[in-house]
C-alpha cells in the first residue's frame, strides 16, 4: 500500500494522470477480495494487483479506457469457469471494481497521499473512505482513530466533518464494507489495524523474521538485553529496537490486546521470564520458540505460577507452522506464515481456511 501511494504521488508530481483501481465488492471464488488495489499509469504500466489472470487483464483494459476518457466509473466482472481455471480456481465469482481517474497535477490527492503515508507509519486504527455515490465525481477521505476525518472527503461535506465521521463510525470495521450514510454511498476499507509484533531476542531467527514480517505489513519491535542484538543496523526494517531488562519488559513496553509476542531469547530461562510477563499482559498472540522438552519444563513452571493449563495452551508452542523448518530462514518463514494466518483470522477475512 505504501509503495502504491508513493508511486501515485510521484506520478502526479510528474504531471501525469493515473487510475486507481479498487475492488469494492466480491463474491464467490475470486482471486482477490474487496480492498485489493492497483495503480495504472498513462504509459500502460501498473503497480499492485487486483488478482491477476482474467480480472486483472480486463481491469487494465478498462483503466486505459478511463485514462482516455478522463472519467471515473464502476464496472462489474464475472469470472466464468474457464477463466477461473486459468488462474487455478475451481468455481466462478463476481467482483465490482471502482476505476478512479486522477487528473495530472491533482494537488489535493497528492496531499492526501502524504496523509496516508503518515497514517501507515502509526500504530493506530485508520480507514480509507471513498464516496462512490456518483461514479464520475469521487472524493476520498482518511479516518484515523486519533485525529478523525481527513482528506478531500472532509472538505466537501456540507453536513460537516464531525457529523459525517459519527455516521460512518458504525461501518468502520476490520473488513471492507459499503454503507449508505447521510444520503450518500461510501466504500470503507481498513488502512491500518493497530497491532505490533514484539520480538524478544534479536538472534539469527529474529534477523530473518523481521524483514519477512515487514514485507507483509507487520509493524515490528525488537527487544533484547544486548545492544549488539537490538539496533537499527541489524534491524533496519523494525519500527523500533529496545535494549532492556528481559525480567522487567513492562518497564519499556506496554503490550495491548491487539499485539503479537514472539519469544526467542538466548536462553530457556529468559524465554520463561518473557512468556510469564506476556501472559499477564494478555496480547492477541504469544508464540514461543523451542523444543518440546523445553516447552514441557516451562509449562510446569507456569502451572506452578498459577496459570491455568487453558491459558498456557493458548500460547503457540512451538511457534510457527509445521513445515519441517530447520534453518533460521526456514523457521522465520514458518513463523511469518502463522502470524499472517492469525492476523487474517483476527480481521475476520472470510477466505481464511481452518488450520
Amino acid at each position: 500500500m505504501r509503495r502504491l501511494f508513493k508511486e501515485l504521488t510521484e506520478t502526479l508530481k510528474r504531471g501525469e494522470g493515473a487510475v486507481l483501481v479498487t475492488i469494492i465488492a466480491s463474491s464467490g471464488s475470486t482471486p482477490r477480495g474487496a480492498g485489493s488495489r492497483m495503480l495504472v499509469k498513462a504509459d500502460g504500466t501498473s503497480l499492485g494487483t487486483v488478482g491477476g489472470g482474467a480480472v486483472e487483464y480486463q481491469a487494465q483494459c478498462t483503466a486505459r479506457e478511463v485514462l482516455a476518457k478522463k472519467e471515473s466509473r464502476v464496472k462489474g466482472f464475472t469470472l466464468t469457469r474457464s477463466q477461473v481455471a486459468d488462474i487455478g480456481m475451481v468455481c466462478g465469482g463476481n467482483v465490482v471494481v471502482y476505476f478512479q481517474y486522477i487528473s495530472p497535477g491533482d494537488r489535493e490527492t497528492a496531499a492526501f497521499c502524504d496523509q496516508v503515508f503518515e497514517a501507515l507509519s502509526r500504530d493506530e486504527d485508520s480507514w480509507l473512505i471513498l464516496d462512490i455515490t456518483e461514479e464520475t465525481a469521487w472524493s476520498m477521505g482518511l479516518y484515523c482513530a486519533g485525529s478523525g476525518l481527513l482528506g478531500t472527503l472532509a472538505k466537501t461535506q456540507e453536513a460537516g466533518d464531525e457529523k459525517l465521521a459519527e455516521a460512518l463510525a458504525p461501518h468502520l470495521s476490520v473488513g471492507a464494507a459499503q454503507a449508505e450514510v447521510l444520503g450518500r454511498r461510501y466504500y470503507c476499507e481498513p488502512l491500518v489495524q493497530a497491532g505490533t509484533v514484539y520480538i524478544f531476542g534479536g538472534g539469527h531467527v529474529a534477523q530473518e523474521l523481521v524483514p519477512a514480517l515487514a514485507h507483509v505489513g507487520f509493524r515490528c519491535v525488537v527487544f533484547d538485553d544486548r545492544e549488539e542484538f537490538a539496533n537499527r543496523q541489524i534491524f533496519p526494517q523494525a519500527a523500533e529496537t529496545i535494549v532492556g531488562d528481559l525480567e522487567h519488559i513492562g518497564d519499556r513496553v506496554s503490550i495491548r490486546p491487539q499485539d503479537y509476542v514472539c519469544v526467542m531469547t538466548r536462553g530457556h530461562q529468559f524465554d520463561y521470564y518473557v512468556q510469564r510477563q506476556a501472559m499477564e499482559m494478555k496480547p492477541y498472540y504469544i508464540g514461543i520458540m523451542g523444543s518440546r522438552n523445553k516447552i514441557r519444563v516451562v509449562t510446569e513452571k507456569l502451572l506452578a505460577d498459577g496459570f491455568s493449563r487453558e491459558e498456557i495452551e493458548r500460547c503457540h508452542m512451538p511457534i510457527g507452522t509445521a513445515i519441517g523448518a530447520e534453518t533460521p530462514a526456514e523457521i522465520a518463514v514458518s513463523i511469518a506464515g502463522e502470524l499472517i494466518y492469525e492476523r487474517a483470522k483476527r480481521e475476520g477475512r472470510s477466505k481464511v481456511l481452518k488450520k
Side-chain angles (χ1 to χ4, degrees), residues 255-269:
I255 295 174
R256 307 159 301 171
Q258 63 265 45
D259 292 330
Y260 307 77
V261 171
C262 298
V263 184
M264 49 186 71
T265 72
R266 67 180 185 276
H268 293 182
Q269 190 66 19

Side-chain angles (χ1 to χ4, degrees), residues 39-193:
L39 179 69
V40 179
K41 298 184 289 183
D43 63 4
T45 61
S46 63
L47 181 67
T49 178
V50 290
V55 169
E56 190 145 310
Y57 173 73
Q58 292 179 42
Q60 288 172 336
C61 292
T62 302
R64 286 193 284 272
E65 295 173 9
V66 168
L67 277 164
K69 293 184 178 181
K70 301 180 180 180
E71 190 173 84
S72 302
R73 74 171 72 163
V74 174
K75 186 173 181 179
F77 297 97
T78 299
L79 275 70
T80 65
R81 287 186 177 275
S82 60
Q83 288 172 329
V84 294
D86 290 341
I87 52 175
M89 307 300 286
V90 294
C91 57
N94 302 291
V95 293
V96 178
V97 184
Y98 192 88
F99 295 86
Q100 190 176 346
Y101 174 71
I102 303 171
S103 60
D106 187 334
R107 293 183 180 180
E108 284 194 337
T109 300
F112 177 73
C113 289
D114 291 336
Q115 293 175 328
V116 170
F117 291 144
E118 290 179 17
L120 285 167
S121 67
R122 295 193 298 267
D123 189 20
E124 174 187 65
D125 288 346
S126 58
W127 290 263
L128 288 173
I129 302 169
L130 182 63
D131 187 337
I132 57 173
T133 310
E134 302 160 21
E135 289 186 20
T136 58
W138 56 267
S139 55
M140 185 176 268
L142 173 67
Y143 183 86
C144 299
S147 50
L149 191 62
L150 306 169
T152 57
L153 183 62
K155 297 179 181 179
T156 59
Q157 297 307 305
E158 295 178 3
D161 300 356
E162 292 184 8
K163 189 173 182 181
L164 176 60
E166 183 181 337
L168 283 169
H171 305 284
L172 302 178
S173 63
V174 294
Q178 293 186 40
E180 186 131 353
V181 169
L182 302 176
R184 300 190 69 81
R185 188 153 194 82
Y186 297 93
Y187 166 73
C188 309
E189 171 198 333
L191 176 68
V192 175
Q193 292 291 282

Side-chain angles (χ1 to χ4, degrees), residues 236-249:
Q237 299 95 338
E240 187 179 359
T241 57
I242 298 172
V243 179
D245 185 350
L246 291 169
E247 294 187 56
H248 300 93
I249 63 174

Side-chain angles (χ1 to χ4, degrees), residues 121-350:
S121 67
R122 295 193 298 267
D123 189 20
E124 174 187 65
D125 288 346
S126 58
W127 290 263
L128 288 173
I129 302 169
L130 182 63
D131 187 337
I132 57 173
T133 310
E134 302 160 21
E135 289 186 20
T136 58
W138 56 267
S139 55
M140 185 176 268
L142 173 67
Y143 183 86
C144 299
S147 50
L149 191 62
L150 306 169
T152 57
L153 183 62
K155 297 179 181 179
T156 59
Q157 297 307 305
E158 295 178 3
D161 300 356
E162 292 184 8
K163 189 173 182 181
L164 176 60
E166 183 181 337
L168 283 169
H171 305 284
L172 302 178
S173 63
V174 294
Q178 293 186 40
E180 186 131 353
V181 169
L182 302 176
R184 300 190 69 81
R185 188 153 194 82
Y186 297 93
Y187 166 73
C188 309
E189 171 198 333
L191 176 68
V192 175
Q193 292 291 282
T196 292
V197 181
Y198 289 95
I199 300 168
F200 291 91
H204 297 300
V205 173
Q207 290 168 33
E208 297 283 356
L209 179 60
V210 170
L213 291 179
H215 188 66
V216 292
F218 283 97
R219 179 181 186 271
C220 300
V221 172
V222 179
F223 190 121
D224 202 296
D225 59 352
R226 303 161 294 173
E227 188 173 356
E228 62 268 31
F229 286 92
N231 61 71
R232 300 296 298 178
Q233 287 69 43
I234 295 180
F235 295 103
Q237 299 95 338
E240 187 179 359
T241 57
I242 298 172
V243 179
D245 185 350
L246 291 169
E247 294 187 56
H248 300 93
I249 63 174
D251 292 346
R252 301 298 306 276
V253 296
S254 296
I255 295 174
R256 307 159 301 171
Q258 63 265 45
D259 292 330
Y260 307 77
V261 171
C262 298
V263 184
M264 49 186 71
T265 72
R266 67 180 185 276
H268 293 182
Q269 190 66 19
F270 288 114
D271 280 356
Y272 160 68
Y273 291 148
V274 173
Q275 183 178 359
R276 184 185 64 194
Q277 294 169 84
M279 288 177 67
E280 291 171 349
M281 297 175 179
K282 301 186 185 305
Y284 176 74
Y285 169 97
I286 300 175
I288 319 296
M289 192 167 71
S291 67
R292 297 196 179 277
N293 182 58
K294 171 217 165 177
I295 290 167
R296 179 184 58 78
V297 172
V298 169
T299 297
E300 291 173 358
K301 287 185 177 182
L302 292 170
L303 288 169
D305 288 335
F307 292 100
S308 69
R309 189 167 292 278
E310 182 182 12
E311 288 176 302
I312 298 168
E313 289 178 351
R314 280 200 289 269
C315 297
H316 295 251
M317 302 188 292
I319 193 172
T321 55
I323 58 173
E326 293 184 354
T327 68
E330 291 173 346
I331 295 169
V333 169
S334 78
I335 297 170
E338 183 164 83
L339 287 176
I340 291 168
Y341 172 85
E342 292 297 329
R343 179 176 63 180
K345 187 170 67 173
R346 173 180 163 237
E347 294 177 357
R349 297 185 211 166
S350 60

